[in-house]
Amino acid sequence: MTTSRADQVSHTARAQSFNVVAAQYADHRPTYPPALFDAIEELTGRPLAGSRVADVGAGTGVATARLLERGAHVVAVEPGAGMAAEFRRRLPGTPVVRGDGNALPLAAHSADLITYAQSWHWTDPARSVPETLRVLRPGGALALWWNTSALDVPWIAEASARAGRHFGRDFSREQDDLDAATADPSGRLDFARHTVRWSRRVPIDTHLANLGSHSLFLVQSPDRTAAYLTEERRHVLDVFPDGVVEETYDVVLLLASAPPAA
């Protein structure tokens, strides 16, 4: 399928939109559960402790912080100036370099693990896959993951349907596309797929601020976004009248190993 010029512009605008809301992103986006990192260790057959990890598209450091807690030695790669500045403010002792997955600013065979939390879809796999294989040590691994909405939870399915009507998109189909064929159309990487369910309880203001930090809202007019979130508040309070929202997520993990040394 060809990509139109308008689609390319929209994709670029969405990718860059996070820089103006970096603090909101860091404060309200969900983190990732310990079970995700347990799964990464199980699938790679090695502990994160002591591993050399490149966290690409690191944003404000949500995933980087969890990797550091597991004892990994992390260098972050982030293209956006605003996000990188917020990263440095929150994780001042962790190196972060400007760059993206299509041209990694890292030496060959320098990483045991490359991670992309919520960010692989901003890359061009025709470029990011070869870059991954260049930077990984032989036998190293690439881990991609996304927090996705648990659409079997009725209130979440209804909220997703409302968002789909608003944006003219089928979000359930987009979640189904988080697979090996989409991640690497060339088929050079052999991905294993794993799903981890988890949940968090947050005030409704946090829930709505999390929604508003997504790129599809950020490229709309402020008035249109505000109107949507005001209406969404009413729907969510029908389900959680005490104003404490239980968000349920399925983390979709795709993990592939680089070829071993010849």
Side-chain angles (χ1 to χ4, degrees), residues 195-217:
T195 302
V196 176
R197 173 156 292 193
W198 73 286
S199 63
R200 68 172 187 168
R201 292 174 59 81
V202 297
I204 191 167
D205 287 345
T206 296
H207 172 73
L208 295 173
N210 170 31
L211 288 182
S213 74
H214 285 73
S215 61
L216 286 170
F217 286 104

Side-chain angles (χ1 to χ4, degrees), residues 163 166-167 211-221 225 228-229:
H166 180 78
F167 291 110
L211 288 182
S213 74
H214 285 73
S215 61
L216 286 170
F217 286 104
L218 296 175
V219 296
Q220 293 191 51
S221 72
T225 293
Y228 179 91
L229 294 177

Side-chain angles (χ1 to χ4, degrees), residues 35-128:
L36 168 66
F37 302 98
D38 293 341
I40 291 171
E41 291 182 328
E42 181 179 348
L43 290 169
T44 60
R46 65 173 294 158
L48 285 165
S51 294
R52 297 169 297 167
V53 180
D55 186 25
V56 186
T60 62
V62 177
T64 305
R66 304 288 81 79
L67 291 162
L68 292 169
E69 289 171 356
R70 301 293 287 233
H73 302 301
V74 185
V75 58
V77 178
E78 168 55 37
M83 298 291 266
E86 189 67 19
F87 181 104
R88 293 187 182 99
R89 189 175 76 82
R90 291 173 184 262
L91 296 172
T94 303
V96 55
V97 295
R98 297 287 300 282
D100 62 55
N102 295 329
L104 291 169
L106 302 171
H109 310 308
S110 60
D112 300 309
L113 176 68
I114 298 177
T115 59
Y116 283 80
Q118 314 284 141
S119 58
W120 182 257
H121 54 284
W122 300 119
T123 75
D124 173 6
R127 300 167 64 193
S128 54

Side-chain angles (χ1 to χ4, degrees), residues 109-255:
H109 310 308
S110 60
D112 300 309
L113 176 68
I114 298 177
T115 59
Y116 283 80
Q118 314 284 141
S119 58
W120 182 257
H121 54 284
W122 300 119
T123 75
D124 173 6
R127 300 167 64 193
S128 54
V129 168
E131 276 293 89
T132 292
L133 293 172
R134 179 185 67 80
V135 172
L136 281 176
R137 65 164 180 81
L142 169 67
L144 323 174
W145 67 83
W146 294 265
N147 265 326
T148 69
S149 298
L151 296 177
D152 60 328
V153 177
W155 83 266
I156 293 176
E158 292 167 5
S160 178
R162 287 192 296 272
R165 290 191 294 272
H166 180 78
F167 291 110
R169 299 174 65 146
D170 184 346
F171 291 110
S172 62
R173 169 169 282 185
E174 290 181 13
Q175 290 190 189
D176 290 341
D177 285 343
L178 298 178
D179 58 16
T182 303
D184 176 21
S186 73
R188 295 179 67 183
L189 297 173
D190 184 14
F191 283 104
R193 193 176 193 272
H194 187 83
T195 302
V196 176
R197 173 156 292 193
W198 73 286
S199 63
R200 68 172 187 168
R201 292 174 59 81
V202 297
I204 191 167
D205 287 345
T206 296
H207 172 73
L208 295 173
N210 170 31
L211 288 182
S213 74
H214 285 73
S215 61
L216 286 170
F217 286 104
L218 296 175
V219 296
Q220 293 191 51
S221 72
D223 288 347
R224 188 166 188 241
T225 293
Y228 179 91
L229 294 177
T230 296
E231 181 67 12
E232 190 63 15
R233 178 186 293 271
R234 183 180 66 79
H235 287 296
V236 175
L237 284 174
D238 285 342
V239 183
F240 301 101
D242 65 352
V244 179
V245 181
E246 183 167 8
E247 300 174 344
T248 304
Y249 296 96
D250 288 323
V251 185
V252 176
L253 168 67
L254 299 176
L255 190 140

